């Protein structure tokens, strides 16, 4: 690698600006550490006039992405535009030219990682994506390098800052979901259209990336069942707290004892004493169990200009050291053939909140239906309601997911039950084979 590394940046929003700012702010430190000078040569934007007031150093602003990618003086392309297209096309073009690519784009990495790794291998280039999951938290490098000696047994993560902020405020402020989302939008913690975050899709993309580094599994997002937090009510949060839990949007990946892998994203009740329960506001965290290291947790800011800039610049610094274009860290070049567990093979504890007639025999009926489907109750409580309606809340022992689904159908179709309001998984032990 040359003594000066030239960077071209695609996009100058929050992410691109964070990279330029950090490279300027820590220029001396980075030069001392790498013995190289790292300079931003070109930034590709839609409308250069919009950025005239910003300090871009000596960088030239242009609208021509393809010309920038083909510029022989540019060594590293930072893709900071997000979304699938045209990012996919630009990354492929850069890799085919033998350039290094650094991206924060979870969607494009999740969907096309295999293609990118193959292109990088064929053209002696490489792609780095530390910023795509967990923002500034060094998750990818930790899994690839720091924990490389381990077989990862399980990984549970809070990977979306927006939803964690919303759930924290739901818990702390006693407001309903819609009001908390409006507040989060007003404070800049949620997008004007927060659907990708709230639906769990953003978390599923990130989990599919972690699956590749932690389990060497190429799992498309379409094979990761995901649920969002849209249906979590303030009442669920209050009852969870009363029972000693908090609710988090949890991404889970687990190696089952039968060798199969299980991945899912769903709101989950986590015991208050678990380290993930203390991860608040816009923070992200991943709790990893490796067969040698045991339990380990990384936590930090999962988004934002500066944390994302931190991850991108650390990738650029890695490239500065990589003088032979052989990043041995891309263990995903060889994905393992894996089998995914079917939901019918999984077990979990469940929390159920339902409304039923407040009449003699109701609890007996509910208990009978649950017993008929092999669902055992661990805790149950009834809350007074109006008009002869009772709110009944129970937590099951660990049960087969199939049994729980058929028990819920049994409850729904019985005349004593008016409505099953909420069903949530409880704890982190889900995924053991039935
Ligand atoms: N929208 C994401 C979040 C940030 O709220 O965590 C980038 O992935």
């Amino acid at each position: 690698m040359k003594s000066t590394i030239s960077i071209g940046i695609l996009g100058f929003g929050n992410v691109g600006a964070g990279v330029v700012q950090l490279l300027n702010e820590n220029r001396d430190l980075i030069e001392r550490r790498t013995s190289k000078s790292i300079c931003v040569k070109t930034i590709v934007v839609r409308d250069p006039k919009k950025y005239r007031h910003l300090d871009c150093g000596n960088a030239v602003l242009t609208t021509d992405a393809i010309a920038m990618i083909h510029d022989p003086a540019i060594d590293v392309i930072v893709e900071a535009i997000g979304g699938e297209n045209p990012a996919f096309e630009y990354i492929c073009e850069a890799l085919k030219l033998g350039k290094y690519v650094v991206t924060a784009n979870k969607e494009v990495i999740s969907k096309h990682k295999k293609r990118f790794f193959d292109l990088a291998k064929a053209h002696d280039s490489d792609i780095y994506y530390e910023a795509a999951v967990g923002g500034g938290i060094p998750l990818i490098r930790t899994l690839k390098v720091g924990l490389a000696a381990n077989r990862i047994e399980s990984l549970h993560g809070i990977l979306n800052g927006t939803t964690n902020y919303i759930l924290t405020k739901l818990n702390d402020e006693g407001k309903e979901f819609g009001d908390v989302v409006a507040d989060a939008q007003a404070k800049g913690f949620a997008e004007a259209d927060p659907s990708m975050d709230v639906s769990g899709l953003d978390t599923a993309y990130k989990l599919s990336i972690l699956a590749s580094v932690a389990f060497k599994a190429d799992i498309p997002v379409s094979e990761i069942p995901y649920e969002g937090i849209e249906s979590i009510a303030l009442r669920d949060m209050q009852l969870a707290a009363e029972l000693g839990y908090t609710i988090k949007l949890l991404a889970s990946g687990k190696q089952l004892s039968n060798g199969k892998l299980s991945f899912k994203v769903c709101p989950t009740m986590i015991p208050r004493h678990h380290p993930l329960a203390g991860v608040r506001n816009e923070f992200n965290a991943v709790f990893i169990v490796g067969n040698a290291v045991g339990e380990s947790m990384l936590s930090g800011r999962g988004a934002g200009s500066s944390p994302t800039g931190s991850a991108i610049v650390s990738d650029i610094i890695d490239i500065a050291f990589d003088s032979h274009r052989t990043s041995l860290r891309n263990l995903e070049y060889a994905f393992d053939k894996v089998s995914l567990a079917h939901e019918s093979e999984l077990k979990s504890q469940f929390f159920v909140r339902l409304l039923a007639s407040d009449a003699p025999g109701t609890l007996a009926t509910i208990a009978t239906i649950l017993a008929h489907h092999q669902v055992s109750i661990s805790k149950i409580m009834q809350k007074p309601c109006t008009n002869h309606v009772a709110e009944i809340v129970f937590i099951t022992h660990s049960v087969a997911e199939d049994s729980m689904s058929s028990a819920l159908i049994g409850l729904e179709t019985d005349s004593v039950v008016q409505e099953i309001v909420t069903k949530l998984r409880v704890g982190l032990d889900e995924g053991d084979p039935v």
Side-chain angles (χ1 to χ4, degrees):
M1 183 61 78
K2 306 177 289 190
S3 59
T4 297
I5 297 174
S6 279
I7 311 288
I9 303 182
L10 292 160
F12 201 41
N14 257 343
V15 174
V19 172
V20 171
Q21 194 192 333
L22 184 56
L23 283 171
N24 285 337
E25 199 176 310
N26 286 356
R27 177 167 307 284
D28 292 348
L29 172 154
I30 293 168
E31 285 192 7
R32 272 202 314 279
R33 285 187 184 161
T34 59
S35 307
K36 291 190 174 117
S37 153
I38 296 174
C39 61
V40 178
K41 181 169 187 281
T42 310
I43 302 171
V44 178
V45 292
R46 271 210 206 109
D47 179 6
K49 286 197 294 294
K50 259 177 60 187
Y51 301 92
R52 282 220 177 106
H53 61 289
L54 293 178
D55 178 13
C56 310
N58 295 324
V60 173
L61 292 180
T62 170
T63 54
D64 194 341
I66 295 297
M68 184 277 271
I69 293 167
H70 281 257
D71 179 349
I74 288 181
D75 310 294
V76 179
I77 312 293
V78 173
E79 184 276 300
I81 42 182
E84 184 175 8
N85 289 305
F88 171 69
E89 178 202 338
Y90 293 159
I91 292 174
C92 290
E93 192 71 16
L95 291 172
K96 283 181 199 162
L97 291 166
K99 309 234 170 179
Y100 286 96
V101 174
V102 177
T103 178
N105 185 334
K106 70 234 150 189
E107 182 176 352
V108 84
I109 287 289
S110 163
K111 288 183 175 166
H112 302 292
K113 49 191 170 311
K114 178 81 172 70
R115 170 96 178 120
F116 294 152
F117 300 144
D118 289 345
L119 277 179
K121 197 173 178 190
H123 297 276
D124 200 17
S125 51
D126 215 339
I127 179 157
Y128 289 71
Y129 48 95
E130 184 61 70
V133 186
I137 313 172
L139 273 177
I140 304 293
R141 204 167 276 108
T142 298
L143 283 161
K144 279 183 180 177
V145 183
L147 296 177
N150 285 257
R151 182 169 55 75
I152 303 299
E153 293 174 352
S154 67
L155 171 159
H156 291 90
I158 296 169
L159 301 176
N160 183 273
T162 305
T163 46
N164 203 38
Y165 182 87
I166 293 169
L167 291 172
T168 305
K169 295 298 167 200
L170 203 60
N171 190 58
D172 291 359
E173 294 179 1
K175 292 183 190 160
E176 282 298 350
F177 185 83
D179 299 328
V180 175
V181 173
D183 267 8
Q185 284 168 323
K187 289 180 182 146
F189 286 112
E191 305 274 352
D193 175 8
S195 50
M196 185 151 155
D197 297 309
V198 167
S199 68
L201 178 58
D202 175 86
T203 302
Y205 280 133
K206 291 167 179 169
L207 180 58
S208 105
I209 297 172
L210 290 184
S212 68
V213 277
F215 300 100
K216 292 185 75 182
D218 186 16
I219 312 292
V221 84
S222 56
E223 292 198 37
I224 298 182
Y226 66 88
E227 289 167 39
I229 61 163
E230 307 92 326
S231 60
I232 306 294
L234 170 61
R235 183 76 185 133
D236 298 312
M237 199 54 103
Q238 289 166 336
L239 290 164
E242 192 176 329
L243 290 160
Y245 295 86
T246 190
I247 302 171
K248 297 288 184 189
L249 182 63
L250 203 66
S252 311
K254 185 165 180 165
Q255 174 114 53
L256 307 187
S257 52
N258 63 7
K260 293 189 180 179
L261 293 173
S262 153
F263 297 98
K264 70 161 86 74
V265 174
C266 55
T268 303
M269 278 178 36
I270 298 179
R272 198 181 288 134
H273 57 76
H274 192 280
L276 283 171
V279 178
R280 291 167 51 78
N281 296 317
E282 74 276 24
F283 277 71
N284 285 196
V286 175
F287 185 82
I288 301 164
V289 181
N291 70 333
V293 73
E295 294 178 353
S296 167
M297 189 167 101
L298 287 103
S299 167
R301 287 187 198 281
S305 180
S306 194
T308 309
S310 161
I312 290 179
V313 174
S314 79
D315 280 346
I316 296 172
I317 291 173
D318 240 8
I319 291 167
F321 283 112
D322 188 7
S323 52
H324 304 295
R325 292 194 170 233
T326 49
S327 170
L328 296 176
R329 292 167 180 191
N330 269 337
L331 304 172
E332 313 86 333
Y333 280 151
F335 283 124
D336 287 344
K337 280 205 172 19
V338 296
S339 354
L340 292 181
H342 188 264
E343 260 198 297
S344 63
E345 297 174 89
L346 304 175
K347 290 203 301 191
S348 178
Q349 278 189 275
F350 288 91
F351 161 94
V352 175
R353 173 162 73 97
L354 56 81
L355 301 176
S357 22
D358 197 0
T362 291
L363 275 184
T365 305
I366 291 172
T368 305
I369 294 170
L370 293 176
H372 177 71
H373 293 280
Q374 307 298 314
V375 174
S376 170
I377 298 169
S378 163
K379 276 183 195 162
I380 188 161
M381 61 184 183
Q382 178 175 332
K383 297 285 180 182
C385 258
T386 48
N387 298 329
H388 305 289
V389 176
E391 182 185 52
I392 295 169
V393 174
F394 59 87
I395 293 182
T396 70
H397 285 292
S398 189
V399 297
E401 301 229 356
D402 269 6
S403 305
M404 191 69 223
S405 302
S406 36
L408 288 176
I409 293 170
L411 288 172
E412 244 161 9
T413 46
D414 194 282
S415 59
V416 301
V417 175
Q418 294 190 356
E419 187 189 350
I420 295 178
V421 189
T422 310
K423 178 196 90 170
L424 289 172
R425 288 181 180 77
V426 178
L428 271 65
D429 293 333
E430 84 293 336
D432 293 328
V434 173

